[in-house]
Amino acid sequence: MILRRTLLAAILPLGAMPLAAPALGQISANRPMRLIVPNPPGGQSDTIARLYGEAIQATSGQAVVVENRSGANGLLAMDVVAKAPPDGLTTGLFSITMFTSLPAMMPRMPLDVERDVTAITSVVTSTVLCVVQERRARERGWTDFRALVEWAKRPGNGLTNGAASSGGASHLLTATIARRSGADITVVPYRGGAPALNDLLAGTIDMAFDFMPALLPHVAAGTLRALAVGSRERVPFLPDVPGMGDFADLGIGDLDLQSWNVLSGPAGLPPELQARTVELFRRANTHPGLEDRLRQNGLLSLPPVEPAAVRARILADRPRWAEMVQISGARIE
């Protein structure tokens, strides 16, 4: 009940953020910044981009136009950024997976994520939420995530997990949990999170690990039960839902799936424009209401770090994602 009240409060619509702002920190006073996202309208990157676009204009006076270029596993959007002039007016918002797991799954990747784009800073982080149908959880005794995994380890008790895509975060994490814990979990790839959620609600599949915006209303309504988040630590707006670190006895305590976003520009972007872009996002994080609206969508802001730091974090994250790709066997030809 405490979790349900917390979620109901989190998903209440919030008022629009004011747009009046001083003209500070602009890259251009006359031309808008293009923020390219690899998802259609309503996708997670699109939501992040539009929230930050409003906040940037409000805090720095820089106009921002969000452009949706979906397709080819995000490579269409990245290609637009890579081919743009390095004038600071074209940036892209990409998941860390485009720099880590995608190259591991796609041996003939047409873009070099180190050579063709400039990683500028980090923006937000999110993780996936494990949910099961509330009625089935009561029937099978899935009181928590440990009970779910132990149930799937018994002979004849396999689980089906709906993944929004083949090779996506849900697929990689679930395959790794199954391998490490010895649970019998079959990943069922879908073309998007919506059809997977519909099948979960209908009882066609047993569980789902997915990003939170579409799941939280059903958890709040009591039709789905939240059992775990994919990050090692719990997230602050779901304090009663354990993270992977709570399940060291299952062999998964070191798993830490955080799908953070990398703001990127074309190769050769001058250092002074990289610094100006970091400052735009740093100021945006101070805008009243931004953090609440991010949490409403299962997101947390990250302090915008300098380009060298974000590139170092990308390198540090690659082994973790590469291990999950290897376990899952996911490939993109």
Side-chain angles (χ1 to χ4, degrees):
M1 290 303 295
I2 293 174
L3 172 61
R4 191 173 302 176
R5 286 196 296 270
T6 301
L7 289 170
L8 284 170
I11 63 176
L12 287 175
L14 299 171
M17 296 186 292
L19 292 179
L24 298 173
Q26 294 174 319
I27 288 176
S28 171
N30 302 314
R31 297 169 59 194
M33 174 191 287
R34 301 166 66 207
L35 189 48
I36 312 298
V37 296
N39 306 110
Q44 181 160 288
S45 294
D46 177 75
T47 298
I48 297 167
R50 293 183 190 280
L51 289 175
Y52 270 91
E54 291 181 32
I56 287 170
Q57 184 163 345
T59 55
S60 297
Q62 174 67 57
V64 178
V65 174
V66 177
E67 293 186 19
N68 303 90
R69 300 293 183 96
S70 59
N73 299 289
L75 292 174
L76 289 182
M78 187 171 277
D79 185 63
V80 171
V81 174
K83 292 178 178 177
D87 56 9
L89 288 171
T90 300
T91 56
L93 192 65
F94 303 114
S95 167
I96 181 60
T97 57
M98 292 198 66
F99 296 83
T100 54
S101 61
L102 186 61
M105 288 186 287
M106 197 173 191
R108 292 187 292 273
M109 191 167 170
L111 282 170
D112 187 317
V113 294
E114 293 185 16
R115 181 194 63 210
D116 298 331
V117 296
T118 299
I120 302 171
T121 193
S122 51
V123 182
V124 301
T125 187
S126 60
T127 190
V128 290
L129 181 68
C130 177
V131 291
V132 294
Q133 191 187 66
E134 177 64 32
R135 178 177 56 81
R136 185 166 293 181
R138 292 196 302 269
E139 292 172 352
R140 296 185 176 179
W142 297 340
T143 54
D144 55 25
F145 186 72
R146 182 175 285 100
L148 178 74
V149 172
E150 292 297 343
W151 189 91
K153 290 168 68 174
R154 299 182 200 129
N157 280 359
L159 294 170
T160 50
N161 175 84
S165 64
S166 177
S170 175
H171 181 181
L172 300 183
L173 181 64
T174 305
T176 303
I177 290 171
R179 169 74 68 84
R180 296 263 200 97
S181 68
D184 180 6
I185 307 175
T186 300
V187 177
V188 182
Y190 286 78
R191 292 186 175 180
L197 175 59
N198 289 337
D199 275 3
L200 178 64
L201 292 169
T204 306
I205 55 176
D206 296 308
M207 59 179 288
F209 256 114
D210 204 354
F211 292 101
M212 299 186 194
L215 303 179
L216 292 178
H218 296 282
V219 175
T223 52
L224 295 179
R225 180 181 295 187
L227 299 183
V229 294
S231 54
R232 183 184 295 118
E233 305 296 333
R234 302 183 183 210
V235 295
F237 49 86
L238 295 175
D240 298 322
V241 179
M244 294 292 100
D246 290 279
F247 306 109
D249 58 311
L250 297 177
I252 58 175
D254 63 326
L255 294 182
D256 189 23
L257 190 147
Q258 295 191 48
S259 184
W260 54 285
N261 288 81
V262 181
L263 185 75
S264 304
L269 187 65
E272 62 272 17
L273 290 178
Q274 295 183 45
R276 183 67 62 86
T277 303
V278 172
E279 180 61 20
L280 287 175
F281 279 79
R282 182 176 290 120
R283 292 183 182 187
N285 276 348
T286 69
H287 188 52
L290 176 64
E291 192 67 40
D292 285 339
R293 295 181 75 185
L294 289 172
R295 291 187 181 206
Q296 178 183 339
N297 288 279
L299 305 163
L300 291 171
S301 64
L302 290 173
V305 297
E306 300 305 314
V310 78
R311 292 164 200 159
R313 185 176 176 188
I314 289 170
L315 292 175
D317 272 11
R318 278 182 180 160
R320 179 184 307 127
W321 287 94
E323 180 199 5
M324 292 192 291
V325 169
Q326 188 275 326
I327 288 173
S328 72
R331 287 291 181 271
I332 299 174
E333 300 298 334

